[in-house]
């Protein structure tokens, strides 16, 4: 037994499917453009931080030193100072293994599977060149840091006050 739909039902179904396809395409385009904008923002942040960090590298008694006091505005960017062979002078070991590439901004996957944006700069110093590696976490779950208030409690998602008579907003 064949089922025949009326022309009105077929047009309505066709129109609904067309609207569904258009909606999905718009959603995909929107998500892609937001992702590109976020990546461009983080890349600009990394480039600006690395330019400031490169100015903060000096030598003290023949030892390369990165002065972190000037880099307090870049709390999301981590810096590591390495020698030519990859030995660490200062900073934390990056959570990924990657060969050096002077000036290149690269998106990499870390050892634990996280996504990072990194840049390496080769800095000439009087007693030899050093590598400055800056990186930031692209995964929002890995950027979660507890927030501490003065006389407050540390909480993950919500901040509460422990000061009597001063309720949290």
């Amino acid at each position: 037994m064949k089922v025949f739909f009326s022309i009105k039902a077929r047009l309505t179904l066709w129109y609904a499917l067309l609207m569904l396809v258009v909606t999905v395409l718009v959603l995909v385009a929107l998500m892609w453009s937001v992702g590109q904008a976020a990546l461009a923002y983080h890349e600009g942040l990394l480039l600006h931080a690395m330019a400031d960090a490169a100015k903060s590298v000096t030598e003290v008694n023949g030892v390369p030193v990165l002065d972190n006091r000037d880099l307090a505005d870049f709390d999301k960017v981590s810096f590591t100072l390495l020698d030519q062979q990859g030995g660490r002078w200062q900073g934390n070991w990056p959570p990924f293994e990657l060969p050096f590439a002077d000036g290149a901004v690269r998106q990499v996957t870390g050892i634990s599977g996280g996504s990072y944006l990194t840049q390496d700069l080769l800095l000439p110093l009087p007693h030899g060149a050093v590598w400055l590696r800056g990186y930031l976490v692209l995964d929002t779950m890995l950027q979660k840091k507890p927030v501490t208030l003065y006389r407050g409690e540390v909480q993950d998602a919500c901040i509460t006050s422990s000061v009597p008579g001063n309720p949290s907003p």
Side-chain angles (χ1 to χ4, degrees):
M1 180 168 131
K2 277 188 165 181
V3 176
F4 290 102
F5 291 109
S6 68
I7 189 80
K8 184 179 177 182
R10 284 186 284 180
L11 280 175
T12 303
L13 183 62
W14 181 83
Y15 183 75
L17 288 175
L18 181 66
M19 287 297 108
L20 181 66
V21 168
V22 168
T23 303
V24 167
L25 289 176
V26 167
L27 180 65
V28 167
L30 183 63
M31 290 177 65
W32 179 82
S33 65
V34 167
Q36 292 296 72
L39 189 60
Y41 166 77
H42 285 99
E43 186 174 332
L45 177 69
L46 179 65
L47 290 172
H48 186 67
M50 288 295 288
D52 284 0
K55 294 179 209 169
S56 299
V57 175
T58 58
E59 271 189 350
V60 176
N61 298 328
V63 176
V65 175
L66 174 63
D67 186 3
N68 289 330
R69 292 176 293 181
D70 299 333
L71 305 173
D73 293 339
F74 304 109
D75 61 339
K76 292 184 178 183
V77 181
S78 299
F79 303 97
T80 306
L81 204 55
L82 304 136
D83 63 18
Q84 291 279 24
Q85 292 74 34
R88 182 171 55 99
W89 281 104
Q90 183 180 351
N92 297 326
W93 283 109
F96 51 84
E97 294 181 13
L98 192 67
F100 294 117
D102 191 22
V105 176
R106 299 175 283 178
Q107 187 173 349
V108 297
T109 301
I111 297 168
S112 63
S115 184
Y116 299 89
L117 195 63
T118 184
Q119 183 185 29
D120 299 325
L121 294 177
L122 184 60
L123 305 175
L125 294 175
H127 290 94
V130 294
W131 286 101
L132 175 65
R133 175 168 279 175
Y135 62 94
L136 57 85
V137 180
L138 291 178
D139 299 332
T140 55
M141 293 303 290
L142 297 178
Q143 287 184 351
K144 220 187 255 187
K145 294 180 184 174
V147 178
T148 307
L149 288 180
Y150 175 69
R151 297 178 121 190
E153 301 170 4
V154 177
Q155 298 217 345
D156 194 22
C158 132
I159 302 169
T160 62
S161 173
S162 62
V163 178
N166 187 12
S168 294

